[in-house]
Each structure stands twice: as C-alpha cells, then as structure tokens.
C-alpha cells in the first residue's frame, strides 16, 4: 500500500507543522487505531513526536506537533492560555449582521454520547472573533479567530449566529452546495444525482502564530482545492455585495 505523504509546511528542531488534508484524523481514533491519522504518519518518520493540538477530521489546514517533551509542555501551556493565535477561513451560508464582531457564548457537551456540543449558560467560556472577507447572495467567506479552544467551537458559534458553515451536518440541517443552487437554470441531467461542490465542512485552519525560544513563528497553510473550487464557482455565478480582502 502506498504511504500517504504529509505536506510539511514548517519544521525546525523543536516542532513540525503540516497542512492536514480534510478527511484525515489528527490523532488515532479511540475505537479504530488503524484509521489513517497524522500522528501515526509522523511517528513513522520521527522517533519522538508529541500532540500539541488537534483539528476536526473534516477541517483542513495547519496542525502542529512537538519533537520533544519540553517543547510539548511549553506549547500546550501556550495553547491553554491563549498565547497562540489561530486563524481559520470558513465558507458560510448567509452573512453576519455585523461584518466584524465577536461571539461570546458558553459551550458545553450535549450530555449525549454523540460528541455534539451546545450553547449553554453553564458551559465553558467560549469566544470567537470573526470578520467578513467577502459576501454574496446567500454566502459569505469569513476569517475566524477562536480565542478559546472548545470542541467544535467555530462550527457551534457560526451556527448560533445563523451563519452555518457550508457542508455542516451536525449543527445545522445539511444543505448541499451545488451548481444548480448557484445557477438555477443550469442544465442538470434529472436522472443523475447532482454531486455537491463541497462534501465536507468548509473550514480551513489557515494560519498559526506562536513564539518559541524568543523567535516568532508564523505558518500559513495553502487553501485546499475543494474550497478554492467552490469559492471560484460562487464568485463566478453570484454578485459580490462586499469585498474586503487584503
């Protein structure tokens, strides 16, 4: 079997950072350790590798691992204390009423065994900053910065403000993004099931900024092909309401 090659976007003596593809686990699955995951793949090439943080299976982008216990401890503390800046890009249905804002609502486990999170007054403090980068009819591209690190935080918060991420199935009723949605008069074979442009949650961990041994490290992960293709179709088919890139 051909070995999966990881896209390493930064490496030094203390850490290694990859651009994780969507569909790959960050760490081994609790029930099936044979499922492909970034930790096991890196473990094949490095004697010591330590999990610093994780991103959802469907989410693509920046994922960082430490090469030694000292760096692992330092980065874990920095993540917990909010000293590491994370930036995501999210393609969403709808558009926030306020173009630049902050979502500050607590999040808790649902209490069920499905792993779902919910907004709850007795949940843990959860804060997410966002900015609208582009918007169209029915869609928007957001830059999102989680200031806390709760499970599914971005997905829960964006659904809470009625801007669910395209491809969301857990925190919003699934609405597939298709060509016929963008082009109502497109010629689609009625006997063929139309394939969605996005088959996963359209969320990408784009940037990570941290400080290590007095050196500032800024890492950026290239935009994935599926989100890029979907954005290009939206830009091509729909009218821009606002553009704030740069």
């Amino acid at each position: 079997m051909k070995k999966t090659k990881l896209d390493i976007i930064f490496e030094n003596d203390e850490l290694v950072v990859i651009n994780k593809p969507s569909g790959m686990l960050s760490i081994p699955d609790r029930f099936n350790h044979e499922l492909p995951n970034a930790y096991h793949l890196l473990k094949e090439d490095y004697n010591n590798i330590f999990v610093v943080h994780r991103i959802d299976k469907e989410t693509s982008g920046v994922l960082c691992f430490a090469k030694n216990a000292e760096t692992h401890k330092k980065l874990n503390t920095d993540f917990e204390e909010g000293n590491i800046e994370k930036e995501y890009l999210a393609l969403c249905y709808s558009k926030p009423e306020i173009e630049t804002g902050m979502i500050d609502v607590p999040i808790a486990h649902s209490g069920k065994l499905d792993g779902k999170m919910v907004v709850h007054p007795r949940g843990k403090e959860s804060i997410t900053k966002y900015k609208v980068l582009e918007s169209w009819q029915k869609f928007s591209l957001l830059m999102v910065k989680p200031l806390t690190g709760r499970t599914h935080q971005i997905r829960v918060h964006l659904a809470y403000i009625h801007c669910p991420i395209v491809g969301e199935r857990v925190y919003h009723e699934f609405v597939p993004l298709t060509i016929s949605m963008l082009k109502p008069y497109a010629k689609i074979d009625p006997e063929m099931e139309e394939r969605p442009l996005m088959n996963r949650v359209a969320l990408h961990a784009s940037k990570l900024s941290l400080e290590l041994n007095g050196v500032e490290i800024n890492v950026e992960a290239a935009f994935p092909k599926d989100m890029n293709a979907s954005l290009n179709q939206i830009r091509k088919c729909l009218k821009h309401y606002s553009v704030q890139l740069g």
Side-chain angles (χ1 to χ4, degrees):
M1 182 180 293
K2 186 177 179 181
K3 179 183 174 182
T4 303
K5 186 177 181 181
L6 292 173
D7 179 13
I8 295 176
I9 54 179
F10 179 84
E11 182 176 7
N12 62 16
D13 292 339
E14 284 79 32
L15 54 84
V16 57
V17 185
I18 68 169
N19 184 358
K20 186 188 80 67
S22 172
M24 178 181 288
L25 293 165
S26 297
I27 60 175
D29 183 82
R30 287 185 297 170
F31 306 106
N32 185 354
H33 282 223
E34 300 303 314
L35 291 175
N37 62 85
Y39 174 78
H40 276 166
L41 288 171
L42 285 173
K43 192 74 174 172
E44 294 177 9
D45 295 326
Y46 299 88
N47 291 328
N48 292 311
I49 204 76
F50 299 82
V51 177
V52 174
H53 69 127
R54 65 194 72 176
I55 56 178
D56 293 345
K57 179 181 178 181
E58 288 190 59
T59 303
S60 56
V62 178
L63 184 61
C64 178
F65 293 84
K67 289 185 176 181
N68 56 67
E70 183 179 354
T71 300
H72 175 241
K73 182 179 180 180
K74 200 257 183 204
L75 292 180
N76 266 348
T77 300
D78 284 347
F79 268 105
E80 289 174 4
E81 295 180 352
N83 296 327
I84 294 178
E85 185 173 293
K86 298 168 287 183
E87 185 173 307
Y88 290 74
L89 294 173
L91 179 59
C92 301
Y93 286 112
S94 188
K95 174 188 173 183
E97 291 183 6
I98 302 172
E99 295 207 346
T100 300
M102 182 179 294
I103 308 164
D104 184 358
V105 290
I107 293 175
H109 287 277
S110 67
K112 301 177 182 178
L113 297 177
D114 56 7
K116 187 175 181 180
M117 308 298 289
V118 294
V119 169
H120 194 281
R122 290 198 293 248
K124 292 183 178 180
E125 181 185 42
S126 306
I127 303 172
T128 304
K129 294 175 67 176
Y130 71 85
K131 178 181 179 181
V132 177
L133 298 180
E134 297 184 69
S135 66
W136 309 263
Q137 300 151 312
K138 301 181 182 179
F139 300 97
S140 59
L141 176 65
L142 306 186
M143 181 272 286
V144 187
K145 291 185 178 182
L147 303 187
T148 51
R150 311 302 172 215
T151 300
H152 297 173
Q153 176 175 316
I154 294 173
R155 295 167 63 185
V156 173
H157 274 176
L158 292 182
Y160 177 79
I161 64 168
H162 308 294
C163 290
I165 301 174
V166 168
E168 182 62 76
R169 287 175 167 85
V170 177
Y171 299 104
H172 190 267
E173 181 181 355
F174 177 60
V175 181
L177 174 61
T178 61
I179 287 293
S180 60
M181 177 185 288
L182 303 178
K183 299 168 66 176
Y185 302 105
K187 294 181 179 179
I188 306 295
D189 189 338
E191 297 184 2
M192 296 286 290
E193 183 177 356
E194 189 176 5
R195 294 180 59 186
L197 293 170
M198 288 292 303
N199 282 315
R200 53 100 169 188
V201 174
L203 182 64
H204 178 65
S206 56
K207 295 180 182 179
L208 193 70
S209 299
L210 56 91
E211 183 274 326
L212 193 61
N213 299 328
V215 177
E216 186 174 330
I217 299 172
N218 299 293
V219 185
E220 185 169 358
F223 213 41
K225 291 182 180 178
D226 57 354
M227 284 184 67
N228 200 42
S230 297
L231 268 174
N232 285 338
Q233 287 292 341
I234 291 172
R235 288 168 176 149
K236 178 181 177 182
C237 297
L238 300 180
K239 176 184 176 182
H240 277 71
Y241 279 112
S242 64
V243 179
Q244 298 181 351
L245 292 175

